[in-house]
Amino acid sequence: MKKLFLLFAFLVTAVGFSQNEQLAGYYYERSDFEKAKLSYEELLQTVPQNMQYFLRVIDCYQQLKQYDEAKTLLNERFAKYNQAAILVELGFNAHLQKEESKANSFYNKAIERIQKNAREVYSVANLFEQKSLLEYAIKAYDTATFVEPNYNFDYQKALLYGQMGNTELMINTLLDANFENPENSNLIKSQLARYLFDESDSSFSDSLRKALIIRVQKTQDVFWNQYLSWFYVQQREYGKAFIQEKAIYKRNPQSLGNIVGLAQQSILEEDLETAVAILSYITENTTDLSLLIQADTYLIKMKIDAAKQNDFPAINSALDALLSKYEISPFTLSLQLIQAHFVAFNLENPVEARAIVDRALKLQLNNYQIAQAKMELADIMLYEEKFNQALLYYSQVELDLKNDVVAHEASLKAAKTSYFKGDFKWALKQFKELKAANTQLIANDALEYYLLINDNTVADSTQIALKEFAKGDYLMYQNRNEAAIIQFQSILKQFKGQEVEAITLLRLGTIYEKNAQNDLALSQYQTIISNHADGIYSDEALYFSAEIYNKKLNEPEKAKPLYEQIIFNHEDSIYFVEARKSFRKLRGDTNL
């Protein structure tokens, strides 16, 4: 019983202490330094050795301009604990009173302490950095490495150089540090990428590119080719990255893994010309069956995505030839499923498509492959308007691969199936849950449909417009784009000026864009920009318009102001980062 009482008392004390700490932090963050000072002093009485509480007390005194009281506490602390970091604080306290010679004297004493005990560099350099005394922080690190040559603070010093605006020195220090310690590549590349994405001008990317090219030219080490390839990928210059990857492979022809990964990224970023070149290179330089199948799968998929109706017979023959070449087996499942999808959605023969999938399901597949085949079967069922059967297969995939990305994709497709069949209440519930999905693409897609259903239900409780819109979406799903255009145009006439108008214009724009009818697409997007500027689709209309001008019509001067509007007026847009990169590139910030 006594032990239980002691345990209870300890828990009560711990909870009370935690609450006091939160309260002190609350006052401090709100700049209520008088109350924060009192709260931290109480905490310090309980844990007198706690340096964080002590420094907060000192900061509160300084914020209140009670410098003499701060100095007294600092001297008492130094006499008791003899910590070099206190010398930095004494110096900063003198600086706040404009006593610069005293301040520098204390700072130098802190450096001298590192000469005697190099381990004190951590607290001293950290405090110098917190006080924006960056040159002193560098001096502290240099002093420590002079005393203890085994110490290495290149990474910390590089970041300080960056804060001081000396980006070239920062870059060279980071690159040299990475070459000496390749195991730190992820950390260093992450820091470089942050600067690449955050800097407001071209100086950083230009400096990094030049530094890497110089290293590639001066040395034969493939480390720098790999680094330059990584840099070009960050810049989305996949063709240039491919040149580096080829150079690496020629000197070490053991694996094409990096080149395959580069092909995948090129496809995702729609740099299809580079993707085709990479995939063709793979097929010419390997006898590995799995790589050959993978490359040919990507190539035929790209042909299908870009195909017109008169291309269909040739593509169908190419699929037959590939499956004849590689044979029907678990290794060619991806090709078989692509063929099934093509036969259903492009050749409009779902019966034959289902037969292809049924044949695949009779092979010795693993659980993941079975789920992929079932997903394709569900897609075909949905194409045939067999909604309940499609839902059944999607549910099976969800159960078979719980918490996997494929399971989340199946959940999204199930939600869309409910949406297509007009069961908006259930679809809304599913989309709401999927908004929190770990996969960003699924989360974004779910959010779009959630807002679509929710907003149009609020605007029209009868959901008449939403039902008509869902029909148009379903026609798009079936790849019946001409019928979808007629449906969406009908919605614009019937529900002009209503909530559904903006998203309908957006859908029409995407179909016209897919059909290479760029002028018609731009017209739809411009109507959104002009008439629905405050709506949730205006950023998409701006971005899609900019992309057409920039990448399809080669009219960058018309694209720039559209990207700029996203940057200044739509900071929360999912297209914000891409718009900013494209704008800077068009403005000339990136030396291509």
Side-chain angles (χ1 to χ4, degrees):
M1 187 68 183
K2 185 177 180 182
K3 288 182 179 179
L4 285 172
F5 177 78
L6 289 172
L7 178 61
F8 177 75
F10 173 77
L11 290 172
V12 170
T13 303
V15 170
F17 187 83
S18 176
Q19 289 175 338
N20 290 340
E21 186 178 40
Q22 289 177 358
L23 185 63
Y26 172 78
Y27 288 138
Y28 186 83
E29 294 299 326
R30 288 174 58 88
S31 300
D32 191 342
F33 296 113
E34 188 64 53
K35 290 180 181 177
K37 180 187 71 173
L38 295 173
S39 297
Y40 279 117
E41 283 176 338
E42 286 182 15
L43 288 168
L44 202 57
Q45 287 176 359
T46 308
V47 193
Q49 69 276 16
N50 189 299
M51 189 65 164
Q52 182 184 357
Y53 295 157
F54 176 75
L55 293 179
R56 282 287 174 91
V57 169
I58 295 300
D59 190 41
C60 288
Y61 274 114
Q62 289 171 342
Q63 294 288 348
L64 296 167
K65 298 186 178 181
Q66 297 172 352
Y67 304 120
D68 290 340
E69 291 87 341
K71 180 181 176 181
T72 300
L73 286 175
L74 286 165
N75 283 324
E76 290 174 356
R77 182 88 177 188
F78 185 72
K80 185 173 183 179
Y81 293 104
N82 194 30
Q83 295 166 307
I86 301 300
L87 293 168
V88 178
E89 285 291 345
L90 281 164
F92 190 71
N93 198 61
H95 161 73
L96 291 174
Q97 298 172 79
K98 303 190 185 319
E99 298 174 342
E100 298 305 329
S101 59
K102 274 188 182 181
N104 291 327
S105 175
F106 279 118
Y107 298 151
N108 288 323
K109 285 179 182 178
I111 299 292
E112 289 170 10
R113 286 287 296 270
I114 296 172
Q115 293 174 345
K116 297 174 183 176
N117 181 5
R119 285 177 295 182
E120 294 211 73
V121 67
Y122 299 100
S123 59
V124 169
N126 185 50
L127 265 181
F128 277 137
E129 185 174 354
Q130 286 181 28
K131 308 296 185 187
S132 296
L133 299 164
L134 304 184
E135 290 185 359
Y136 272 108
I138 291 170
K139 190 176 180 180
Y141 287 128
D142 286 340
T143 302
T145 51
F146 178 80
V147 175
E148 291 287 346
N150 290 332
Y151 281 12
N152 189 323
F153 297 106
D154 287 346
Y155 178 77
Q156 290 87 342
K157 286 165 59 180
L159 299 189
L160 292 171
Y161 295 142
Q163 291 182 54
M164 295 165 71
N166 194 337
T167 54
E168 288 195 16
L169 186 54
M170 172 191 175
I171 287 167
N172 288 321
T173 304
L174 283 175
L175 292 179
D176 291 343
N178 204 166
F179 186 74
E180 291 297 321
N181 298 285
E183 67 275 8
N184 293 334
S185 282
N186 288 341
L187 175 66
I188 291 173
K189 284 179 178 177
S190 174
Q191 193 61 235
L192 290 170
R194 187 177 70 82
Y195 272 80
L196 280 173
F197 297 147
D198 290 349
E199 286 296 288
S200 59
D201 57 46
S202 65
S203 61
F204 188 83
S205 61
D206 287 346
S207 297
L208 179 55
R209 178 179 53 81
K210 289 173 186 174
L212 288 169
I213 289 174
I214 288 170
R215 282 164 169 77
V216 167
Q217 292 171 342
K218 281 187 175 181
T219 171
Q220 297 300 307
D221 200 310
V222 296
F223 180 86
W224 297 117
N225 296 95
Q226 292 166 341
Y227 229 113
L228 190 54
S229 173
W230 169 85
F231 169 78
Y232 285 134
V233 168
Q234 305 310 302
Q235 301 294 94
R236 287 173 169 73
E237 297 179 75
Y238 299 108
K240 292 181 180 180
F242 181 40
I243 292 170
Q244 297 304 315
E245 290 297 339
K246 282 193 290 186
I248 296 165
Y249 183 72
K250 284 177 183 176
R251 291 161 64 182
N252 186 20
Q254 292 183 353
S255 172
L256 285 161
N258 287 342
I259 294 180
V260 172
L262 186 61
Q264 292 170 329
Q265 284 182 292
S266 301
I267 293 168
L268 285 173
E269 294 295 330
E270 298 183 0
D271 185 353
L272 302 184
E273 184 179 345
T274 299
V276 169
I278 296 172
L279 292 167
S280 299
Y281 181 83
I282 292 169
T283 59
E284 293 164 5
N285 287 275
T286 186
T287 56
D288 185 303
L289 184 61
S290 63
L291 276 183
L292 286 168
I293 293 171
Q294 192 176 5
D296 277 327
T297 300
Y298 284 133
L299 285 168
I300 197 70
K301 184 71 168 64
M302 283 191 288
K303 285 181 181 178
I304 292 170
D305 290 341
K308 306 296 181 189
Q309 185 129 14
N310 56 0
D311 299 320
F312 291 172
I315 289 173
N316 197 38
S317 297
L319 281 164
D320 284 335
L322 286 172
L323 287 167
S324 176
K325 175 183 176 181
Y326 296 124
E327 301 180 348
I328 302 297
S329 74
F331 295 106
T332 59
L333 178 66
S334 57
L335 272 173
Q336 294 172 61
L337 297 183
I338 286 171
Q339 184 185 47
H341 198 87
F342 178 76
V343 169
F345 288 81
N346 296 88
L347 301 184
E348 300 178 9
N349 190 345
V351 175
E352 184 183 339
R354 276 193 281 111
I356 293 169
V357 181
D358 287 337
R359 180 189 63 192
L361 283 167
K362 292 175 183 175
L363 300 171
Q364 294 295 314
L365 306 178
N366 60 39
N367 289 340
Y368 194 83
Q369 290 174 315
I370 291 170
Q372 288 179 305
K374 284 183 177 180
M375 186 91 88
E376 187 57 50
L377 198 55
D379 290 349
I380 296 166
M381 296 285 190
L382 180 53
Y383 174 90
E384 296 180 281
E385 301 185 40
K386 297 176 179 178
F387 299 114
N388 292 334
Q389 287 173 272
L391 286 169
L392 180 64
Y393 279 107
Y394 287 137
S395 298
Q396 287 180 16
V397 174
E398 290 178 74
L399 291 171
D400 292 344
L401 295 177
K402 282 184 179 178
N403 300 321
D404 190 272
V405 173
V406 175
H408 290 309
E409 186 182 350
S411 299
L412 181 66
K413 288 186 173 185
K416 287 184 180 181
T417 302
S418 298
Y419 161 72
F420 289 145
K421 67 184 288 196
D423 188 354
F424 299 127
K425 185 176 181 181
W426 179 244
L428 188 68
K429 181 178 181 295
Q430 291 175 297
F431 287 130
K432 185 177 182 180
E433 292 173 1
L434 287 165
K435 286 192 302 174
N438 292 331
T439 307
Q440 194 62 47
L441 286 173
I442 290 174
N444 289 342
D445 212 355
L447 177 61
E448 179 189 337
Y449 278 93
Y450 175 81
L451 293 173
L452 168 67
I453 296 172
N454 190 62
D455 291 353
N456 282 281
T457 301
V458 171
D460 176 15
S461 60
T462 63
Q463 299 179 325
I464 295 172
L466 185 60
K467 288 171 185 173
E468 293 301 311
F469 186 84
K471 288 178 185 176
D473 264 353
Y474 181 62
L475 289 167
M476 284 182 68
Y477 172 81
Q478 290 180 305
N479 209 26
R480 296 166 58 191
N481 289 331
E482 294 307 315
I485 288 172
I486 294 169
Q487 177 69 10
F488 288 132
Q489 287 175 338
S490 172
I491 291 170
L492 289 179
K493 291 176 184 176
Q494 190 177 352
F495 303 100
K496 185 173 178 61
Q498 295 189 25
E499 184 72 32
V500 77
E501 184 178 64
I503 184 65
T504 304
L505 289 163
L506 193 70
R507 286 289 197 273
L508 277 171
T510 57
I511 297 174
Y512 289 137
E513 200 173 337
K514 186 178 179 181
N515 292 343
Q517 297 171 288
N518 293 317
D519 289 342
L520 285 173
L522 287 168
S523 175
Q524 311 308 307
Y525 298 147
Q526 185 56 52
T527 304
I528 297 172
I529 295 165
S530 301
N531 299 343
H532 302 276
D534 297 330
I536 62 173
Y537 303 107
S538 58
D539 62 320
E540 292 179 83
L542 287 165
Y543 184 75
F544 295 163
S545 297
E547 290 287 281
I548 290 174
Y549 283 124
N550 188 22
K551 297 178 180 178
K552 297 178 180 179
L553 299 180
N554 195 27
E555 297 184 47
E557 290 307 312
K558 290 184 178 180
K560 275 195 328 192
L562 297 168
Y563 287 131
E564 193 172 23
Q565 284 189 61
I566 298 170
I567 295 167
F568 289 108
N569 301 326
H570 300 277
E571 292 184 12
D572 58 344
S573 171
I574 61 173
Y575 303 104
F576 176 81
V577 173
E578 294 304 319
R580 184 173 60 181
K581 288 177 188 173
S582 297
F583 177 72
R584 289 176 179 173
K585 190 170 290 189
L586 292 178
R587 193 175 60 181
D589 288 354
T590 302
N591 188 347
L592 298 176

